[in-house]
Amino acid sequence: MNLWIKNGHLLDPANHCDEICDIYIKEGRVAGIGSLSSDEKEEFENAEVIDAAGKYVMPGFVDLHVHLREPGFEYKETIRTGTAAAAKGGFTAVCPMPNTNPATDCPEMIKRILDIAGRDSKIHVYPVGAVTKGQMGKEITDIAGMVQAGAKAISEDGKSVMDAQLYRRAMEEAAKAGIPVLAHCEDKNMVGNGAMNAGKKADFLGIPGISNAVEDVIVARDILLARETGARLHLCHCSTRDSVAMIRFAKEQGVPVSGEVCPHHFAMTEDEIPSDDANYKMNPPLRSRGDVDMLCQGLSEGIMEAISTDHAPHGEEEKKKSIADAPFGIVGSETAYALAVTYLVKKGYLTPMQLVERMSTNPCRILGVPGGDLSPGMPADITIADMDSVYEIDKNTFVSKGKNTPFHGTRVQGRVHYTIAGGEIVYQYSGGK
């Protein structure tokens, strides 16, 4: 069915468009922007109409970093539930990380993910293949084969490849294949039993700490390897001030590097952990106010180019454990947009247009996929949302199987009203919380 989106405030960074206008969608693609000829309008006389007055119409959000848990951990999440949660959050595409069971480490596993997504997902799923077989850090995967099967990037997310020479060879293969390397930066030899940021709060709670250097050492190494190999390096879930500084320096030197920040890392500090509550446990951990301020500044300046969620659902019983013993990770697909509006747009770090760049246009460019652009002829992947609705985040309304969030009860602004993928309405806000 054709769609006619009326009266919306179009934000399209790719075309520098920031105005109220109509958008016409035909056969899953953008057919026109603004006014149409009388002959063209006849095609949309019976179109489904969305009145977007008072709302922003934006290229669909793209999440470079999610954990859909299938196969192997379906009790935490499935591709069906995880992509439905993403659609509710305004995302029209997601990149599932390879730490499944078995790991997504071969062409057959890439095809398996895509087969399940073709059946169960209404949004685009762009699989990420593992760097090493079984994510064991010993032997490089068939990167070219995985790309041919449909992988859009490689990553060892959940850990770093500690063998620098092995990782260097993988980067060379990724460069040949024309895909980015999505890097989880964590020196496992320095982590020990660390479970939260090393600092006064960890000391107060008696929880082993994780220093900034755990991240920073690998950030520096990976940037140097990217410079040497020419690989496109994307640094996942950056959390420290020095990560921002190093990315800034690398860009100045012409290194092909980008970085993402997750909402929990720009919206919260370690000081907001109220007690030994594992819903506040994520990797990397919540950092200091100085780190958060620098992350926000990095997003504002465009040094940090993307906002991703690191959506990581866990079972309720797992998160009832102490921070010291519980698994790392929180959910984020359904809260990312509102947190970005509340903590970045409303605080003056980003304009609405810049927010769209960080959540749509830039992620598409980093990944090398269509999207982030509502030019006529482009796929009709669209998010319609406001930036003024005020409400409290309620984990009990989440579509995700995971309810593990530290933001339950947080007052936020900004609500997604429609998510459209390939011209199909895949999410529509129906009122309530």
Side-chain angles (χ1 to χ4, degrees):
M1 181 178 290
N2 294 344
L3 280 176
W4 182 355
I5 303 173
K6 289 185 174 182
N7 307 315
H9 188 150
L10 177 61
L11 292 176
D12 184 1
N15 294 292
H16 309 288
C17 187
D18 185 355
E19 61 180 291
I20 294 174
C21 60
D22 291 0
I23 301 178
Y24 302 87
I25 298 169
K26 179 183 177 181
E27 296 178 355
R29 294 188 175 271
V30 177
I33 303 289
S35 59
L36 299 178
S37 67
S38 57
D39 290 341
E40 290 172 322
K41 280 188 175 179
E42 286 184 10
E43 290 189 80
F44 290 89
E45 286 182 352
N46 298 315
E48 182 171 353
V49 175
I50 296 175
D51 186 356
K55 302 175 182 66
Y56 289 104
V57 180
M58 304 166 278
F61 304 150
V62 175
D63 194 345
L64 294 172
H65 192 162
V66 300
H67 299 270
L68 298 182
R69 303 302 191 197
E70 186 177 6
F73 305 101
E74 286 85 354
Y75 73 96
K76 297 174 187 274
E77 192 79 285
T78 63
I79 290 175
R80 182 188 297 275
T81 59
T83 56
K88 184 182 175 185
F91 293 97
T92 55
V94 295
C95 298
M97 289 294 165
N99 56 340
T100 49
N101 186 22
T104 309
D105 64 353
C106 60
E108 291 74 23
M109 282 299 298
I110 297 294
K111 292 175 183 177
R112 180 176 176 183
I113 298 296
L114 287 171
D115 286 345
I116 298 171
R119 181 190 71 211
D120 291 349
S121 175
K122 294 182 178 180
I123 66 173
H124 308 293
V125 173
Y126 297 126
V128 177
V131 178
T132 68
K133 292 182 179 181
Q135 293 193 292
M136 300 301 292
K138 301 296 184 183
E139 186 178 355
I140 294 174
T141 54
D142 177 8
I143 294 171
M146 290 193 294
V147 172
Q148 187 173 12
K152 298 299 182 183
I154 58 169
S155 179
E156 201 81 339
D157 192 63
K159 62 180 76 172
S160 291
V161 178
M162 293 306 298
D163 184 330
Q165 176 63 8
L166 189 73
Y167 200 39
R168 181 183 184 279
R169 296 210 321 269
M171 281 192 173
E172 291 172 338
E173 291 300 313
K176 289 179 186 177
I179 59 167
V181 178
L182 312 186
H184 171 113
C185 295
E186 177 188 22
D187 189 326
K188 70 177 183 181
N189 298 316
M190 297 176 67
V191 176
N193 295 320
M196 61 181 289
N197 189 54
K200 292 181 179 179
K201 180 59 69 119
D203 293 341
F204 175 77
L205 294 174
I207 305 292
I210 300 173
S211 72
N212 284 26
V214 167
E215 176 175 323
D216 297 339
V217 166
I218 302 298
V219 168
R221 183 201 71 169
D222 288 4
I223 286 173
L224 291 171
L225 291 174
R227 184 174 69 177
E228 188 169 293
T229 62
R232 289 190 289 125
L233 175 66
H234 177 73
L235 299 174
C236 296
H237 49 43
C238 296
S239 72
T240 72
R241 68 190 80 189
D242 285 326
S243 285
V244 179
M246 285 187 279
I247 292 172
R248 183 197 307 273
F249 179 75
K251 285 176 175 290
E252 291 171 352
Q253 302 302 309
V255 180
V257 60
S258 57
E260 72 187 27
V261 184
C262 300
H264 45 275
H265 287 133
F266 63 66
M268 273 188 174
T269 72
E270 60 180 346
D271 296 329
E272 290 161 90
I273 301 174
S275 59
D276 188 0
D277 181 349
N279 285 309
Y280 291 80
K281 182 180 182 180
M282 66 284 293
N283 189 15
L286 297 176
R287 299 291 191 182
S288 71
R289 170 51 58 190
D291 291 307
V292 172
D293 289 345
M294 187 59 73
L295 292 170
C296 292
Q297 191 63 35
L299 283 166
S300 179
E301 296 177 9
I303 302 301
M304 312 305 290
E305 298 181 52
I307 294 170
S308 304
T309 68
D310 193 9
H311 175 79
H314 290 290
E316 184 178 359
E317 292 302 315
E318 293 172 308
K319 279 294 190 176
K320 285 183 178 179
K321 299 177 182 178
S322 165
I323 290 175
D325 302 318
F328 290 102
I330 66 170
V331 292
S333 294
E334 295 167 72
T335 56
Y337 173 72
L339 292 171
V341 170
T342 303
Y343 290 92
L344 297 176
V345 176
K346 297 300 182 180
K347 291 182 179 294
Y349 288 107
L350 296 180
T351 65
M353 183 73 85
Q354 288 172 325
L355 178 63
V356 180
E357 287 180 334
R358 309 306 188 259
M359 295 191 71
S360 180
T361 310
N362 290 349
C364 288
R365 175 179 51 77
I366 290 166
L367 199 64
V369 297
D373 179 348
L374 293 181
S375 302
M378 291 297 290
D381 296 335
I382 296 172
T383 303
I384 302 175
D386 70 61
M387 296 192 186
D388 296 312
S389 292
V390 179
Y391 59 98
E392 290 186 358
I393 292 173
D394 182 356
K395 67 180 183 180
N396 298 304
T397 66
F398 288 176
V399 174
S400 171
K401 285 188 176 185
K403 315 301 178 188
N404 48 303
T405 176
F407 294 105
H408 178 64
T410 299
R411 194 170 181 82
V412 293
Q413 286 182 266
R415 188 188 296 280
V416 174
H417 290 265
Y418 291 88
T419 304
I420 299 165
E424 178 187 356
I425 298 172
V426 297
Y427 170 76
Q428 180 176 351
Y429 174 61
S430 58
K433 294 183 176 180

